[in-house]
Amino acid sequence: MTTTASVPPSPEGAILGGTVTDRLVEANGRYAAAFSDPGMDARPILHVAVVACMDARLDLHAALGLELGDCHTIRNAGGVVTDDVIRSLTISQRALGTRSIVLIHHTGCGLESLTEDFRHELEMEVGQRPAWAVEAFRDVDQDVRQSMQRVRTSPFLVHTDDVRGFVFDVKTGLLREIDPA
């Protein structure tokens, strides 16, 4: 199986006669040619929102047996529950009917090797300190617990009784549930 990760880019970032974005746009053309309107709205069929890390090794739909329209998917570095994640979850619940929240971090996360010094290094390089926190962590289980707590205590979220957190093992593909206590 060939993946984009196995296709070496040129020094300018081009892949096989075009940029990565060109390749994605071409793939979209093929997709759209066979596309038919699924006839659904933005409300997820399973009434669930999944918050996960943006790591390219996580194929959430395949790992969770999800189909198009089943869930809202919110991804960021680390799968951390930030203010913007709370914003998205609030819209998901209050405007689009979700009731359950699944949080997924994973083994071998890049945030485990960073510190908040990353912000200082950026400030030194570009002359402006980022307004956002890196949200680095050393203990993935504890960070899942912290994310669950942030969801459960948000005043904006009305459905916090079905919030569960997991760690996805990137070597086995298995989820391990984290006890919130």
Side-chain angles (χ1 to χ4, degrees), residues 1-13:
M1 177 169 124
T2 302
T3 65
T4 54
S6 65
V7 179
S10 71
E12 298 82 32

Side-chain angles (χ1 to χ4, degrees), residues 13-161:
I15 293 182
L16 300 176
T19 66
V20 172
T21 304
D22 292 335
R23 180 177 175 177
L24 299 176
V25 170
E26 289 171 15
N28 175 256
R30 292 187 298 278
Y31 171 80
F35 184 81
S36 62
D37 180 357
M40 57 181 72
D41 66 15
R43 296 175 186 275
I45 295 165
L46 299 179
H47 305 288
V48 63
V50 178
V51 178
C53 185
M54 65 186 191
D55 192 295
R57 296 171 292 181
L58 277 67
D59 183 350
L60 290 175
H61 277 74
L64 300 174
L66 296 168
E67 299 294 330
L68 180 68
D70 282 348
C71 73
H72 283 158
T73 306
I74 304 161
R75 296 182 80 157
N76 68 15
V80 176
V81 175
T82 61
D83 286 345
D84 193 58
V85 168
I86 294 293
R87 171 189 160 270
S88 294
L89 288 171
T90 301
I91 293 166
S92 177
Q93 284 190 352
R94 291 179 177 261
L96 298 166
T98 59
R99 299 290 182 263
S100 301
I101 299 172
V102 175
L103 307 172
I104 301 177
H105 288 34
H106 66 92
T107 59
C109 185
L111 284 186
E112 292 176 292
S113 63
L114 291 176
T115 67
E116 291 299 321
D117 289 339
F118 182 76
R119 293 175 69 219
H120 176 71
E121 294 163 6
L122 280 173
E123 179 182 17
M124 298 308 294
E125 180 183 330
V126 303
Q128 180 178 344
R129 189 170 183 87
W132 39 264
V134 175
E135 297 276 358
F137 56 86
R138 295 283 178 253
D139 181 337
V140 68
D141 290 18
Q142 182 55 33
D143 202 63
V144 171
R145 284 186 199 95
Q146 177 177 297
S147 290
M148 285 190 283
Q149 184 65 17
R150 285 179 178 174
V151 167
R152 288 190 172 121
T153 60
S154 172
F156 306 109
L157 299 172
V158 292
H159 303 288
T160 59
D161 55 324

